[in-house]
Each structure stands twice: as C-alpha cells, then as structure tokens.
Amino acid sequence: MSKQIRTTRAVTATALALAVSAVLTACGGEGGAASDAKTRTTPSAAPATQVKNPLVATFDGGLYILDGKSLEIAETIALPGFNRVNPAGDDTHVIVSTDSGFRVLDAAGQSLTGITYPGAKPGHVVRHAGKTALFTDGTGEVNVFDPADLKGGTKPEGRTYTSAEAHHGVAIELSNGELLSTLGTEEKRTGALVLDKDGKEITRNENCPGVHGEAAAEGETVAVGCEDGVLLYKDGEFTKVDAPDAYGRIGNQAGSDASPVLLGDYKTDPDAELERPTRISLIDTATAKLRLVDLGTSYSFRSLGRGPHGEALVLGTDGTLHVIDPGTGKVEKEIPVVGEWREPLDWQQPRPTLFVRDHTAYVSEPGKRKLHAVDIESGEKLTSVTLPKSTNVLSGVVPGH
C-alpha cells in the first residue's frame, strides 16, 4: 500500500436546527492531536427533520443519535435492555439488536421504524455487495434484504434461510447470489457451507473449529475465523489458512475492498477467562499466507477497523489508534485518542470502541463519557464531545458496500 495518502477528507454535512445546552470538553491530558480538539456543547433540544450521516451510540437504557460532523446529540431514544447497533447499508438506517430481535432504526429521521425481525439472540449483521444479512443465533434464521428497500417503511421482501441447528453464527451473500453461512450447534461450531442463489448447497467445509466472524477482501474473497486459523472462500472453493500455533483463534476480522489482506485478532490461550492479546493477524487472501504483528498493546473485539485506502486500524488499550500497512505489517502511524484503558471481563460492559466511516475514525471513551472524531490521514482530532451518559456500542449509517 502506498504511503502517499490522499489528503482529501470526506466531510459530512451538519444536521439542521440542532439546539445546544451543555458544555463539552476535549479529551484532556493527551497532548498532541488531542489538545487541538474543538470545544463543543451537547444539545438537549427538539430533533431536526433529518440528520445527515448520523452516528448511533447505545447507553444503559437507550440510544443517542448524533450528528456525524459535530457529534451533537440530535435525539435520545429510550430502549431498555442490552442493545447493539450496526449499519443497515444505506444512508438512513441502523440495525438495532435488542433482547427480542432485530429492529430497524431510521437514524436520519430519528425514530424506530415498525420493521422488525423477531427472534432470540439476534447476532451478526453483515453488509456486502448491496445486501444485508441478519443472523439470529437463537433460531439459526438468516434474513437477507436490499437495504434500499427499507426506505418504504415496510419490511423488505428478501431471502431467508434457516440453519440445520441454532448457533452463534454469521452469514453473507455474495455478488453472484451465493450465500455463505456457518455450521454448528449451541455446543460446537465447525465450519461453513455455501448455497447457490436458488438455495441449493454448493459446498461445505467443516475444518474450522469454533467458527466465528467474517470479513470480505478485495476481489470478494470471504473469510470466517477459526480456533486454528481462518477459512477462505472464493470461486466455489474453500481454502484453510492454518495458524502458526495449535490454538490460534482469529474470531474477529475486518476487511476492505481496497486490500486483499484481512485484519484479524489473534489469541493463543484456550483456557483464559479473558485473554488480552497484543498480536494481530494479517491474512493475505491472494497468497493464503498469515502474518502476525505485535503491537505492544492489547485491544478488544471492538478495536478493529479499516481506513479508506485499506489501512488496518487497531485501537489499543494504550489509548492509541495504530495505523498499519496491511501489506508489510508496519505500524505507519500512532494517533493518541483516549486515555489508557483495560478490557472488562464481561463482553457486554462498555469499553472504548472504534467505528470507521470514510476518512474519519470515531472513538468512544465511556470512562469519561466522551466521543471523539479523528482524521485518519492527518491524525488531527477533529471534534470531541462529552455526553450525558457513558456509551457502549458505537456505529452509524454507512451507505453502499
């Protein structure tokens, strides 16, 4: 990947008619880029008609909808329970995983729609090739739809598939209509299968113990993580990439259309209550080779992202955003963003979270109730705000993928 990175920055439009009330402060004690952050105020006012490029952050008891440029709160929505949020795949909607199933949030319009996908344990949401796939762990049901069809306010007609047995899984539909979905039970996950556009099984591979997570690389090679490496799928065939350790778990991945290399985590202790790894994995889907890079700091499953040119991004517990060339494994830039932190034992508990859109990295700092926006290329902290409550999961609208 070229180190001559374009300086053009994607600039989001500000939301209309947002009133503000409480003083916000920049992240203190960081120095450098952090000290340049703008001081802003949080609103507590009537919602604007539409919020452009909104972010959505969960907190205990609800959701904040925020303007993507100013980070000002446009609306607060009460929603009890532990909720997660993911892009729906258009410029308007976000998928909310609730206690009772998936719900569709009109983030731009600042309201929950009536579109729901009920089911216990709603899990992964995957956007790819203009389609969005929802996997409900409690039922094994997969729902695939075109996110453009959400704009009508009614549930889109789409594809459905039900796994042989319910499990914590994931599915992705490819540009040719093939559907890759994981295999497993509640007790044991083993691999993945692929169905053609008519639902007929093409192939399967059950050499992926503990299968978890997915990512797609340049050229539409799809990977799912295993406890001993990764499983790649392309052009009708599976390829296993073995980890260098007998137990080398890659459970979370991040892909980019701009790079054939996938970014993954890497854990080697099967008995750890919570392993805090310092190495990440880079999987070259063109050569089926795996490289490990030691960052010298741990990170969490909400720390991985990709930049606009395919940069591998990792938010470390040292408070720094590490920008890595996926081709060489070299850490090209370290951007101070938040204070040092430690991953909590409970995966549902808040921790600093990375969400990337275009040229901007958004990072939450729950311990200080802060949210930051950082320009990936310049390293400049564009905006910092203080929110009324600590947030947990952070996401936003991401049109087209």
Side-chain angles (χ1 to χ4, degrees), residues 139-185:
T139 63
E141 185 176 81
V142 176
N143 285 277
V144 184
F145 57 86
D146 184 338
D149 295 337
L150 294 171
K151 292 186 184 294
T154 58
K155 192 171 184 176
E157 293 186 7
R159 176 180 191 169
T160 61
Y161 163 73
T162 302
S163 307
E165 294 193 55
H167 64 282
H168 179 46
V170 66
I172 178 173
E173 185 171 285
L174 307 185
S175 57
N176 62 3
E178 292 178 354
L179 179 71
L180 183 150
S181 190
T182 52
L183 293 163
T185 67

Side-chain angles (χ1 to χ4, degrees), residues 79 122-123 126 130 145 184 212 231 243 273 301 312 328 338 356-357 380 399:
L79 190 64
V126 177
F145 57 86
H212 186 271
L231 192 61
E273 181 178 10
F301 70 98
T328 65
V338 299
V356 181
R357 186 170 59 196
E380 176 190 1

Side-chain angles (χ1 to χ4, degrees), residues 97-164:
S97 302
T98 72
D99 291 340
S100 59
F102 294 104
R103 298 186 65 177
V104 177
L105 171 70
D106 180 350
Q110 305 158 70
S111 64
L112 284 163
T113 71
I115 303 173
T116 63
Y117 293 85
K121 301 178 182 178
H124 286 266
V125 177
V126 177
R127 300 168 294 110
H128 181 74
K131 295 294 179 65
T132 300
L134 312 179
F135 196 105
T136 302
D137 294 349
T139 63
E141 185 176 81
V142 176
N143 285 277
V144 184
F145 57 86
D146 184 338
D149 295 337
L150 294 171
K151 292 186 184 294
T154 58
K155 192 171 184 176
E157 293 186 7
R159 176 180 191 169
T160 61
Y161 163 73
T162 302
S163 307

Side-chain angles (χ1 to χ4, degrees), residues 6 20 45 89 160 168 199 209-210 222 230 238 329 373:
R6 297 192 302 270
V20 296
T160 61
H168 179 46
V222 175
V230 294
F238 281 105

Side-chain angles (χ1 to χ4, degrees), residues 251-334:
N252 300 281
Q253 312 88 35
S256 169
D257 292 338
S259 173
V261 180
L262 298 171
L263 166 66
D265 56 3
Y266 193 73
K267 295 183 177 181
T268 58
D269 185 355
D271 300 319
E273 181 178 10
L274 174 67
E275 184 175 351
R276 295 182 170 90
T278 62
R279 291 184 294 175
I280 54 96
S281 56
L282 297 171
I283 305 100
D284 190 329
T285 62
T287 62
K289 301 294 185 182
L290 186 152
R291 178 202 305 265
L292 298 177
V293 178
D294 197 326
L295 300 178
T297 181
S298 63
Y299 54 90
S300 89
F301 70 98
R302 293 192 186 139
S303 292
L304 307 181
R306 301 303 291 264
H309 311 295
E311 306 96 319
L313 307 175
V314 182
L315 178 66
T317 55
D318 58 355
T320 298
L321 183 64
H322 300 259
V323 183
I324 305 155
D325 183 327
T328 65
K330 179 182 178 182
V331 179
E332 296 193 316
K333 193 182 304 179
E334 295 183 338

Side-chain angles (χ1 to χ4, degrees), residues 48-93:
T49 303
Q50 290 282 311
V51 177
K52 294 184 179 180
N53 302 306
L55 301 176
V56 180
T58 71
F59 64 89
D60 187 9
L63 311 170
Y64 289 132
I65 299 176
L66 309 106
D67 175 71
K69 183 178 181 181
S70 68
L71 307 187
E72 294 171 345
I73 299 174
E75 184 63 289
T76 301
I77 295 178
L79 190 64
F82 175 70
N83 303 301
R84 288 167 288 164
V85 285
N86 285 279
D90 65 359
D91 61 359
T92 303
H93 297 91

Side-chain angles (χ1 to χ4, degrees), residues 241-258:
V241 181
D242 292 324
D245 299 280
Y247 182 89
R249 183 178 188 270
I250 301 173
N252 300 281
Q253 312 88 35
S256 169
D257 292 338

